[in-house]
Amino acid sequence: MTKLFEHAVQRVRTLPPELQDEYARVLLRLAGDEGDEPVHQLSREEKASLAMSRAQAAW
């Protein structure tokens, strides 16, 4: 592991768990590992807003 990468990992370790997961997903995508998990999980409010937008667009 390079010193720069090690420094980045140490910095990310200081972040809240949900941010650590986001950084991990980005790194995995950059490394070519798409995984089974979506890049972003929508909140309940975001899902409701999306559903409303889709319903309005269908009119």
Side-chain angles (χ1 to χ4, degrees), residues 37-54:
E37 195 172 334
V39 174
H40 177 74
Q41 298 280 344
L42 295 178
S43 68
R44 186 176 298 155
E45 293 81 15
E46 290 170 324
K47 287 179 183 178
S49 177
L50 181 59
M52 186 182 305
S53 296
R54 286 181 173 165

Side-chain angles (χ1 to χ4, degrees), residues 1-58:
M1 183 181 307
T2 68
K3 288 186 180 196
L4 178 60
F5 189 77
E6 195 170 315
H7 176 72
V9 169
Q10 289 299 323
R11 175 64 181 100
V12 171
R13 283 184 176 150
T14 67
L15 299 173
E18 59 276 1
L19 286 177
Q20 289 182 25
D21 284 348
E22 285 190 40
Y23 277 89
R25 286 185 193 97
V26 170
L27 183 58
L28 288 169
R29 288 191 72 190
L30 289 172
D33 182 358
E34 298 295 323
D36 296 333
E37 195 172 334
V39 174
H40 177 74
Q41 298 280 344
L42 295 178
S43 68
R44 186 176 298 155
E45 293 81 15
E46 290 170 324
K47 287 179 183 178
S49 177
L50 181 59
M52 186 182 305
S53 296
R54 286 181 173 165
Q56 290 174 344

